[in-house]
Amino acid sequence: RMFFVLFLKQAVQMNLQITLFNAGRAAAQEEASFQLTSFQDWVETLSIVGLLVTTLAEIVDAIILAWAFLQLRKDVVGKVDSIGHDEIYANPHNDGTNYLKRESFTGKDLKELYRATKQSVVKMLMLVSCSIFLILYAVVKFRFAFSCESGLWQYSVGCLKKLPRNYTCSIAAE
């Protein structure tokens, strides 16, 4: 869920939306100032702010999950480390519904479940970190678009040169 919502929807969409917003404003810009002058500019900016707010909610969810794992780890790590592979850890109560297919869980089962949970949390935190990096880059790009004369900013170059008035795009195959 976090890959689709946080990474693709929030981080990638925000980067693309800000890039297109900046490029569109730079292409249509006639005066030297790069200000929010039209209703469409304000709507697009509001859309970006909306993405930031929903992104914050996803990051809070990730922090809550990571905190819950740390609490779980604190509570069970001693048992996970000390139990033997063949030692029985749990005997679930069979209520006659055949819901449980197993009669007992061993230390090996506990260790495998703990390892899988730990790996999932680490993957989630790596995904959140990449997403935060992309989102911060997008915000920086958006911010510097207002301080660059051209309205375009790139990490490796900084402010890009302003496009000439008679600049047009053409298809290379023509």
Side-chain angles (χ1 to χ4, degrees):
R1 175 182 170 265
M2 282 203 168
F3 175 76
F4 290 109
V5 174
L6 183 63
F7 185 74
L8 291 180
K9 183 178 184 288
Q10 306 294 351
V12 174
Q13 179 183 347
M14 187 177 301
N15 259 291
L16 183 61
Q17 190 169 347
I18 288 174
T19 299
L20 293 174
F21 175 75
N22 289 347
R25 299 247 324 131
Q29 179 179 329
E30 294 180 10
E31 69 278 353
S33 69
F34 193 75
Q35 304 298 320
L36 299 173
T37 55
S38 72
F39 179 72
Q40 182 180 351
D41 294 340
W42 284 101
V43 169
E44 289 178 12
T45 302
L46 187 62
S47 173
I48 292 167
V49 170
L51 279 173
L52 283 171
V53 170
T54 56
T55 299
L56 183 62
E58 291 297 322
I59 291 171
V60 168
D61 284 348
I63 291 169
I64 290 170
L65 284 171
W67 184 257
F69 175 75
L70 288 175
Q71 294 301 316
L72 172 76
R73 183 185 186 285
K74 186 174 83 173
D75 293 339
V76 301
V77 75
K79 185 67 174 177
V80 170
D81 290 341
S82 66
I83 195 167
H85 276 346
D86 295 328
E87 188 178 339
I88 293 179
Y89 173 68
N91 289 318
H93 172 69
N94 189 351
D95 59 1
T97 61
N98 286 335
Y99 176 70
L100 297 172
K101 303 290 185 206
R102 302 173 67 170
E103 298 216 4
S104 63
F105 291 89
T106 64
K108 180 182 177 188
D109 299 324
L110 177 66
K111 290 176 190 253
E112 286 175 3
L113 289 170
Y114 178 77
R115 182 185 51 79
T117 304
K118 184 177 177 181
Q119 286 177 346
S120 293
V121 169
V122 168
K123 288 177 191 176
M124 178 193 72
L125 292 175
M126 289 172 45
L127 181 67
V128 168
S129 298
C130 281
S131 297
I132 289 173
F133 173 77
L134 287 174
I135 290 164
L136 288 176
Y137 178 69
V139 169
V140 166
K141 191 168 37 173
F142 185 68
R143 163 61 187 98
F144 279 110
F146 289 94
S147 59
C148 293
E149 183 182 349
S150 67
L152 299 171
W153 181 85
Q154 187 178 21
Y155 171 73
S156 60
V157 180
C159 288
L160 299 176
K161 293 179 183 177
K162 195 171 182 174
L163 297 174
R165 284 186 181 260
N166 59 354
Y167 180 81
T168 60
C169 294
S170 63
I171 299 174
E174 291 180 1

